[in-house]
Amino acid sequence: MTDLTRTRVVLPTGVELDVTHGGPDGAPAIFFLHGFPESARTWRYQLADLSRDYRVFAPDQRGFARSSKPSGVDNYTHEKPIGDLIALADRFGVERFTLVGHDWGGAIAWAAALGHADRIERLAIVNAPHPLVFQRSTFDDMDQRKASQYIRAFRVPGMETYIANDLDNFFEKTFSGHFELILSDAEKAAYIDEWSQPGAIEAMLNWYRAAPIIVPAMDETPERPAYLDAPFPVLKMPVLVVWGMNDRALTPSQLSGLDHLVSDLRLVRVPDAGHFITWEKPEAVTSALREFLDG
C-alpha cells in the first residue's frame, strides 16, 4: 500500500475538489463517490484497505466540505457531478475504472454508469437507489413515500438557514440518528467543521433541489411519469449492490426489480446495518467490495 494523500484538484468543469487518493502505480483504479451530508471520510476504512492493491480516488464532491460550492441550483444537476467524475479520471490519466457510490454518490454512480459505460468497467452501489426503482417507489410504495418526505423539506426555500443555525440538532437528528452506532466527539467535530464552511449547507441542499425526482405529498396523486412504465436501459457491466437492511430512509423496496435492470447483478444484504453502513459495518462493505473486485 502507498500512503493516502489529499490533493486539491482544479477541473475544467469549473470547480476545485479535494481528493483523497493512493495505491500502487499502474494498479486498477477505483473512484469512490460519497453522499449527503458527508465527504470522502465516508470511505476512509475502505480506502485504507483497498489501497493495498488498487489505485483509489475519493473526492469531496462539489458543494461538500472544502471543495468548490458554485452558487445556484443549476450547478447541482446530475450532469455536473458526473462531469466532475469524468474530468477527475482524465486528470489522473485513468481511462477505465470501477465506480463505487453511496447515497447521493450512488445516485450519481447509477447515472454515470448509464451514460458512460465506455469508462466504467464495474459498478458498486452502497445503499443508493436505482433511479427508476426509486421514482416508482415514491409513487407506488407508501412506506417509501413517507420515508422520502424529508426531501420535500430540504427543498423548502430558506431551509439552509434553519439548519445552519443549529448544526448540533442537524447532526443528532438528520445524521447520527440514522446510525446503528455512536459517533465520537471527534467525528462530530469533523462533520460540524465541514458543514460550517461558507455556503456548505445551501450547496448540499441544492443537490436535492436540482434532482428531477418527484416526491409526492402523502395525500397527493400527481400525474404519473410515462417513463415509469416504459422500457428502461439495462446495465451490462458487473454491478454489486450492498444494502444495510435497517435503512430508515430507503426501504427494502429499492431492491425489487433490480435483476431486470442489471444483467450481471450481485446483491449483498447486511441485516444489522442502516443507511450509513460504510461506518456502521465497514468490514462487511470492504469484504463485499474485495470479493467483487478480486473475483
Side-chain angles (χ1 to χ4, degrees), residues 37-50:
E38 295 202 79
S39 63
R41 288 167 53 78
T42 302
W43 304 109
R44 69 181 191 179
Y45 297 112
Q46 291 72 44
L47 297 175
D49 183 281
L50 292 168

Side-chain angles (χ1 to χ4, degrees), residues 73 104 153-160 201-202 204-212:
V73 171
W104 264 117
F154 282 170
R155 289 171 168 171
V156 172
M159 179 56 69
E160 55 269 29
I201 298 299
E202 181 177 4
M204 291 193 295
L205 295 183
N206 279 344
W207 282 64
Y208 290 93
R209 294 162 176 166

